[in-house]
Amino acid sequence: MKRALSEALVAAGAPPPEFWENDLEMGLEHVCAMLQEEDRMEAWVDKRKGNQAKVLLKNLGIPPGASTRKNKEALRSCNGQILQYALVDYFGKRKSRQAVIDVALRILEPEDSDECRAGEDYDVKSLLYALYRRDPMSLRSVFHLDKMHKCGFARMVLDKNIRRPEQPLAEFLSAAFVKNVLREYDAERTDGRSSELKDIHVDAERCTIFIRRAERPEMIVGPSGVQHGYRPEWIILSFHDGGKRVWIASVSVAVPLQIANRLAQAYFRQPREYLNESQVVTNKQLERLFGLLRDGAIDDLALVELTVASSPLEGQPKLTIAGAEGIGNAIAQFERQVGGLLSNVDHIEAFRVAYRTKRVHLKLESLENVEDGFVVRYSDGKLNAKERKQFEEYMEKEHGIIALSTEKRFK
Amino acid sequence: MASSPCPRKSDSNDEREQIARLLEDGSVIDQPSPAVTELAKRLEGLGLIKVARREYVRCVNFHDRDIPSRDRSCSGKIYLDDRLDEGGDDYRCPACNRVVYPFRHRKGRFKDIRSNVVSESVLAYLLRELAETKATVKELARGAYRADVGDLGVAVCIVDLCPEKFLAHDWARSQPTCYIGVNARRLRERFLDQDWLVRVPLSEIITGVVRLPDLLQKAVDASRTASVPNASVPVFSRGAPPIVNDSVPQLATPRCFFVELGLNTVRVNGEVIVNPQAGPRYHIFRILLKRFFDDAAEGRAANAFRPMSLQDIVDALGEATDKYYEDVEGVRRTINRLQDDIERTVKQKLGQPIDRDDIIQTCPWKGQGKNDFGYRINPMSVVIRAFRNTDTANLS
């Protein structure tokens, strides 16, 4: 079954199965089984929207007709060619809209991306078809960027502020160099797990390295019985500020930090380490924020959940008040009738705010030897990269509160 | 005032209960029956409530094909929202944080409605109903009216909206009063257990179970015949001390800080940031402030205010203090520490958002080496005002 699909892809001039299975992590076995169901491709064509059919015809070099119905008829007549787009469609199913749009706007010509508009927004599937026509490898960028939008990043900072080398970090971190560092690291660990450099992405603000690495042992069941191997994890190291900061996303805690430290050590030519960043927010700042949230005085932010470790009820039990919408009035009522909740910041464990369309969980972390203040950490994995940046900028600019991720890494 | 059409009068207990439930502000009715949906529409038509109709999927629903391997008892509801991106993992269970795919997995959909009471419309509705009694009606306060019925008239108070004084025992004892509760939940229990009190939920008026003219008459009769005991009202409550919710002053956007320069003190938003014993800090601030005033007097635009080079500051400082400052770097460090201290003091004492550069700004200094900098009072965020006595210095 898989061989038939492989031959069909080669005949259509599409990338080989290796690209779909290894680079995009798609299980072709499962897709094959689905696509070979009777009339499956017919049904797939029927489901295309007007602009999707147009983009597909353009990809196939067929001038679009006067109506969507005619366009779909034309698509049905080139069954073998559209198989690869069914795979693209399958690839796009769980991909972040923001990731697709970001890559498309960077790679596509404006007239090509304009063809993919659906009203005031973009049609993500059309964008994926257009990207695939432009360069199938661009789907790898979507795949990688999608991961950045969906996970939280530990914010690490270099243990000492040192002078930057003259050579820019982006130049220094060549693929060959990073591969070499990974090879040496794997060899030293001798645990049988290997790391694979998947991509290095450079933009004006950061230099991001994508690594796939074997994490914990796992087995799968296949036609030939059980196969033992490792579950893969994606390690994303995003270097900012010329390497003085790194944001780390991963499953494992120690490995990515050790790799980042090695890269920093090589770049700065001295043994340096990244530490978890912590920025203290004073009690007064938090009191001010909670006061505004209770009064419902902030348009962009509403308190929707509050957990106090020690409530004013008898026995001082832990108390959580939560609501689908703002609970400022409920808190005020509780304070009037029972006792203070927000007046003692030390007792507040965590809270949740509604920010635009998302509910963001924040917690207060106390630091040793710091009496006046807490580190404010939030679950950044729930926001996409763009929303994350907006939220952090908003909190700092409007409330003077530096919100860091709840993610942390230790050696 | 013309009265709007009233919903179908009915004495059905079920309907009355459903209306009462819809009149509880913020109440959520899960999987509403067609009858409830119809009642909600009618109340919405009268303007008494606003109804949000929402659709959701359940985190764990054994009819769906995405049963999680962990926490199969999760009761989370995930509301559908056009603005969320399913592919971007935006749909998460608020209870267990699991990412769900409502559309891709064709999860079963459920509906609920959430009603919010519109206070102003409730008042308007009651006024319309009072107008139908043909009695003259006078507004005593928001949510409290006097209808010209009987010798003394009858006060009609909406317990959810009227001022506290109308809910006092003394008021109810001395004035014929009829109380109406919008939120009917435990209404009877929330009143003093006295037969002479006339109280009714709004739902009973809407459904026609109680007629307002009868209610007013009942209040008149009750005031004539009732034997009203003297209630013992405590002079001190031993419950939790009341919390005074001081509303937090909102800051103007963009940031704005009031700076006052005294004889040997500098204050920002009323908080001292340069103490009398601070020595060169005060003089440095004064030097920068003089440049600020000069630029302002010349009519320069804010972005054209000139920074002072470190050397100029050192020279001016020498003149001001009649001392020779050999250590230029020492002056730089003093300014940098002053910037840090201002930021820390404002954050700690006032809790307001501030950056290091918001009062004394570090600017790249043109005409010098690339590592040199200039400083100025930030013309974008600083407002200078006259020094005030300590007791009036707080930022209003």
Side-chain angles (χ1 to χ4, degrees), chain B residues 280 283-291 308-325 331:
Chain B
H283 292 290
I284 290 170
F285 205 96
R286 204 182 154 103
I287 289 162
L288 292 172
L289 202 58
K290 185 172 179 308
R291 169 64 66 91
M308 286 183 82
S309 73
L310 188 61
Q311 191 56 53
D312 287 350
I313 294 172
V314 170
D315 293 345
L317 187 60
E319 279 178 33
T321 58
D322 209 16
K323 283 183 191 169
Y324 175 63
Y325 284 86
V331 174

Side-chain angles (χ1 to χ4, degrees), chain A residues 114-246:
Chain A
D114 282 348
E115 282 176 356
C116 304
R117 277 192 175 278
E120 289 181 3
D121 208 347
Y122 286 102
D123 179 70
V124 169
K125 288 184 177 177
S126 302
L127 285 175
L128 283 169
Y129 304 150
L131 274 172
Y132 180 77
R133 178 190 65 211
R134 177 93 183 189
D135 179 10
M137 293 300 145
S138 61
L139 296 191
R140 291 177 71 221
S141 301
V142 173
F143 183 63
H144 296 149
L145 199 59
D146 175 68
K147 295 192 179 300
M148 288 199 74
H149 282 299
K150 290 179 180 171
C151 50
F153 282 82
R155 314 297 164 88
M156 317 286 297
V157 62
L158 217 52
D159 57 355
K160 192 178 169 192
N161 192 10
I162 52 175
R163 188 179 286 274
R164 250 179 249 168
E166 290 211 346
Q167 185 185 19
L169 182 69
E171 266 178 36
F172 178 80
L173 291 177
S174 66
F177 173 75
V178 177
K179 278 180 185 170
N180 196 35
V181 169
L182 292 177
R183 201 178 306 118
E184 284 175 8
Y185 178 75
D186 291 342
E188 278 179 33
R189 279 186 71 92
T190 62
D191 58 2
R193 293 167 170 83
S194 58
S195 313
E196 185 186 358
L197 174 68
K198 297 302 290 181
D199 200 6
I200 298 179
H201 182 260
V202 177
D203 64 25
E205 288 180 15
R206 64 187 82 89
C207 177
T208 308
I209 298 175
F210 295 87
I211 299 164
R212 187 168 61 193
R213 190 170 199 281
E215 197 227 348
R216 67 187 63 176
E218 203 163 66
M219 69 169 191
I220 56 166
V221 183
S224 55
V226 165
Q227 281 189 321
H228 291 272
Y230 293 97
R231 184 156 60 167
E233 74 159 324
W234 278 83
I235 294 174
I236 306 174
L237 305 175
S238 186
F239 291 93
H240 296 239
D241 200 9
K244 291 186 178 178
R245 289 168 190 277
V246 65

Side-chain angles (χ1 to χ4, degrees), chain B residues 71-130:
Chain B
D71 197 1
R72 288 172 167 233
S73 60
C74 178
S75 58
K77 292 177 180 177
I78 301 103
Y79 286 95
L80 303 182
D81 185 339
D82 291 341
R83 295 167 298 174
L84 297 181
D85 174 19
E86 186 184 46
D89 290 358
D90 280 355
Y91 285 105
R92 280 171 191 267
C93 172
C96 69
N97 207 24
R98 183 171 79 99
V99 177
V100 296
Y101 301 94
F103 302 99
R104 213 166 99 77
H105 289 153
R106 298 195 193 107
K107 284 174 76 67
R109 310 258 183 109
F110 302 89
K111 287 180 181 168
D112 71 16
I113 57 173
R114 180 187 169 93
S115 74
N116 284 99
V117 174
V118 183
S119 306
E120 295 312 315
S121 300
V122 168
L123 298 177
Y125 175 80
L126 188 68
L127 275 174
R128 284 198 300 269
E129 291 291 310
L130 284 170

Side-chain angles (χ1 to χ4, degrees), chain A residues 182-384:
Chain A
L182 292 177
R183 201 178 306 118
E184 284 175 8
Y185 178 75
D186 291 342
E188 278 179 33
R189 279 186 71 92
T190 62
D191 58 2
R193 293 167 170 83
S194 58
S195 313
E196 185 186 358
L197 174 68
K198 297 302 290 181
D199 200 6
I200 298 179
H201 182 260
V202 177
D203 64 25
E205 288 180 15
R206 64 187 82 89
C207 177
T208 308
I209 298 175
F210 295 87
I211 299 164
R212 187 168 61 193
R213 190 170 199 281
E215 197 227 348
R216 67 187 63 176
E218 203 163 66
M219 69 169 191
I220 56 166
V221 183
S224 55
V226 165
Q227 281 189 321
H228 291 272
Y230 293 97
R231 184 156 60 167
E233 74 159 324
W234 278 83
I235 294 174
I236 306 174
L237 305 175
S238 186
F239 291 93
H240 296 239
D241 200 9
K244 291 186 178 178
R245 289 168 190 277
V246 65
W247 291 14
I248 300 177
S250 62
V251 176
S252 56
V253 174
V255 170
L257 180 56
Q258 289 163 359
I259 295 172
N261 284 344
R262 280 174 182 245
L263 293 171
Q265 192 169 326
Y267 179 59
F268 291 105
R269 296 198 188 91
Q270 50 180 295
R272 294 266 65 94
E273 286 185 356
Y274 289 106
L275 304 174
N276 289 297
E277 190 175 0
S278 52
Q279 298 270 3
V280 175
V281 175
T282 66
N283 287 354
K284 197 76 187 174
Q285 285 177 291
L286 288 167
E287 280 169 20
R288 177 182 174 274
L289 174 70
F290 287 131
L292 290 171
L293 287 171
R294 182 191 53 214
D295 296 348
I298 315 175
D299 289 338
D300 297 325
L301 221 55
L303 185 65
V304 290
E305 188 176 310
L306 176 74
T307 301
V308 286
S310 171
S311 71
L313 295 169
E314 274 187 38
Q316 286 83 46
K318 180 171 174 168
L319 177 74
T320 297
I321 299 177
E325 290 170 23
I327 57 167
N329 287 340
I331 299 283
Q333 186 191 5
F334 187 97
E335 292 194 326
R336 277 195 305 274
Q337 294 179 352
V338 181
L341 289 175
L342 298 174
S343 48
N344 194 345
V345 176
D346 289 345
H347 289 174
I348 295 173
E349 204 172 86
F351 59 106
R352 206 180 286 271
V353 292
Y355 173 70
R356 298 189 178 175
T357 57
K358 305 277 180 75
R359 291 162 73 93
V360 184
H361 183 254
L362 298 102
K363 63 180 189 182
L364 305 184
E365 178 188 280
S366 53
L367 284 184
E368 271 182 46
N369 305 323
V370 176
E371 284 182 4
D372 177 24
F374 295 87
V375 179
V376 177
R377 297 196 176 272
Y378 80 106
S379 49
D380 59 338
K382 283 190 181 179
L383 304 181
N384 69 37

Side-chain angles (χ1 to χ4, degrees), chain B residues 138 140 144-147 149-157 165-179 196-198 215-216 218-224 226 228:
Chain B
K138 182 185 168 193
L140 302 173
Y145 306 94
R146 183 182 296 283
V149 177
D151 296 340
L152 298 171
V154 175
V156 179
C157 300
K165 72 170 185 179
F166 295 101
L167 305 176
H169 180 266
D170 288 350
W171 171 275
R173 202 176 61 166
S174 58
Q175 307 283 333
T177 305
C178 116
Y179 290 105
W196 54 272
L197 279 170
V198 178
L215 200 67
L216 297 178
K218 192 177 170 189
V220 172
D221 296 343
S223 69
R224 281 196 199 123
V228 181

